[in-house]
Amino acid sequence: MQHRKYPFIVGFLIVPLVLYITFVIWPYLQTFGYSLTNWTGESQNFKFIGLDNYTALFHDSVFRTALWHNILLLIFLPVITILLALFFAFMVNVGGRSTAGGVQGVRGAGIYKVVYFFPQVLSVAILIVLFGAVYRSDSAGLLNGILVKLHLEDANNPIEWLNDPNLVLWCLLAIQVWAGVGFYLVLFSAAMQSIPKDIYEAALLDGAGRGQTFFKVTLPLLWDSVQTSWVYISIFAMDFFALVSGLTPGTGYGGGPDHHSEVMATYLMRNFLSFGKSGYACAQGVIIMLVTLIVSAVTLRVSRRDRIEF
C-alpha cells in the first residue's frame, strides 16, 4: 500500500507543478536572462552585457527616487492599515460595554463591518475615477470644496493635491489605506471571533481596561494574522502601479510631478514600453522581486514568536 501512494501523489502534483514551472518559474528565468542583455523589446537581436544594467540602475537618480518611494510605502502602508484595522476590528467585536450577555462589540457593529468593507468591492479603475474627483485641483473637488466652505482655503488658490510634490505620495497612500482597511478588519474580526469570550470576561473581572485587553489578550492571540497581513501589504506596497499611473501627472505612466510619485513599477513600464530599454526594465523587475523576497523574509523572521494556544 505504501508503494502505491507515491504514484497517486505524483499523479496529482505533476500537472500543477508543470503549469507552475511553465507560467511562473520560466518567465522569472527569462526576465533574469534578458536583464543581462541590451534587448530593446522590438527584436531578438541583442547582445550579452553582463551586469551593466544593474550597475546603471544604481547610478540612475530616477530609479533611486522610485526605490525610496517604495521604501516609504513599505514603512507606512502596513503600519497604518494594520493599526486601523486592528482598532476597528477590536471595537466591532469586543469593544462594547460588558453586559449580562457577555462581551460584545459596539452598537451597530454589523453595519460598521459592511461600511468598512464596502471599498473592497470597488475596482482600482473606480477608485481612480472616484479619487480623481476627490483630489481635483479646483474648488469643484470634494476636498477643496469642503475646505472652501469651511473658510479654511481661498477659492482662488485651491490646493493642488496631486500636483504638489510634498502631498502627492501621501494622497496615494491615503487612498490605499481607505481601500484596504475593510479587508483586514474582516480578517481580524474572523480571528477574534475564534477567541473564546471567557478569556475577555476573565480579563474584565481582573480589572483590565480596553487598552490592556487589546495589548495583553487580543494582539498576542492575533499575531499570526497580523504577521500574514504585514507580508501581504508589503508585497502590495512594492507595486502601486495602477494608482500612480491613473492619478498622477507624467508621461505615459504618471509618476509626477517631477518624479515625486514615481515608484519602481511605473519606471519599469516607462523604460519597457516608452523608452525601448527592455533589458534595463527587466533588471528593474529582478530588483523588485529581490526586494519583495527580502522584505517578506525579514518580516516573517522579525515578527516570529512562540505560538499561543487557547
Side-chain angles (χ1 to χ4, degrees):
M1 190 59 124
Q2 284 283 13
H3 296 292
R4 293 181 181 177
K5 76 176 182 180
Y6 295 112
F8 179 78
I9 294 172
V10 171
F12 270 95
L13 291 181
I14 190 66
V15 173
L17 185 60
V18 168
L19 290 174
Y20 185 78
I21 292 173
T22 302
F23 295 108
V24 179
I25 302 299
W26 179 240
Y28 277 132
L29 294 176
Q30 282 186 308
T31 300
F32 178 71
Y34 282 127
S35 74
L36 303 176
T37 70
N38 64 350
W39 183 42
T40 63
E42 297 180 356
S43 70
Q44 292 302 311
N45 297 320
F46 52 82
K47 67 177 182 179
F48 179 79
I49 59 173
L51 299 176
D52 288 358
N53 284 328
Y54 294 94
T55 303
L57 272 178
F58 290 98
H59 290 88
D60 186 336
S61 60
V62 177
F63 177 77
R64 293 200 305 269
T65 298
L67 176 60
W68 173 241
H69 291 159
N70 278 112
I71 291 173
L72 288 176
L73 293 170
L74 277 171
I75 295 170
F76 289 101
L77 182 61
V79 171
I80 297 172
T81 302
I82 289 175
L83 286 179
L84 287 175
L86 279 172
F87 172 75
F88 292 137
F90 181 77
M91 294 305 294
V92 300
N93 285 281
V94 295
R97 294 182 178 276
S98 180
T99 64
V103 177
Q104 59 184 2
V106 296
R107 183 175 299 177
I111 297 175
Y112 291 137
K113 288 181 183 179
V114 173
V115 171
Y116 290 136
F117 189 77
F118 175 72
Q120 278 297 305
V121 305
L122 303 179
S123 68
V124 176
I126 294 175
L127 287 178
I128 290 170
V129 173
L130 177 63
F131 280 92
V134 171
Y135 288 135
R136 274 187 59 168
S137 56
D138 55 29
S139 57
L142 179 62
L143 278 180
N144 281 328
I146 292 173
L147 293 175
V148 168
K149 291 295 183 182
L150 295 175
H151 302 290
L152 298 175
E153 180 186 303
D154 184 0
N156 297 317
N157 188 28
I159 298 173
E160 297 191 12
W161 300 97
L162 297 176
N163 288 298
D164 189 325
N166 298 317
L167 293 177
V168 59
L169 193 65
W170 307 110
C171 289
L172 297 174
L173 176 66
I175 296 172
Q176 190 52 50
V177 170
W178 179 83
V181 163
F183 174 81
Y184 296 99
L185 180 150
V186 173
L187 178 66
F188 296 147
S189 292
M192 285 182 190
Q193 288 168 8
S194 68
I195 300 174
K197 297 294 185 182
D198 295 348
I199 297 177
Y200 288 109
E201 291 169 0
L204 292 174
L205 289 174
D206 288 339
R210 286 181 178 173
Q212 291 175 307
T213 303
F214 177 78
F215 287 106
K216 299 295 184 181
V217 178
T218 304
L219 189 57
L221 295 176
L222 291 184
W223 193 252
D224 287 347
S225 298
V226 171
Q227 184 187 57
T228 303
S229 300
W230 199 293
V231 172
Y232 186 80
I233 299 173
S234 297
I235 292 172
F236 189 86
M238 290 301 298
D239 182 10
F240 245 74
F241 172 79
L243 287 179
V244 173
S245 62
L247 282 171
T248 61
T251 304
Y253 300 98
D258 195 24
H259 303 295
H260 280 85
S261 64
E262 195 81 71
V263 291
M264 289 191 287
T266 55
Y267 192 48
L268 182 157
M269 292 300 294
R270 190 175 293 111
N271 277 287
F272 192 91
L273 296 177
S274 299
F275 299 159
K277 299 166 66 176
S278 300
Y280 192 60
C282 287
Q284 294 178 55
V286 172
I287 295 297
I288 293 174
M289 181 191 70
L290 290 176
V291 172
T292 303
L293 289 175
I294 291 169
V295 167
S296 301
V298 169
T299 301
L300 289 172
R301 182 69 180 88
V302 171
S303 62
R304 188 174 65 183
R305 58 175 60 183
D306 293 335
R307 187 179 182 85
I308 299 175
E309 302 289 345
F310 57 87

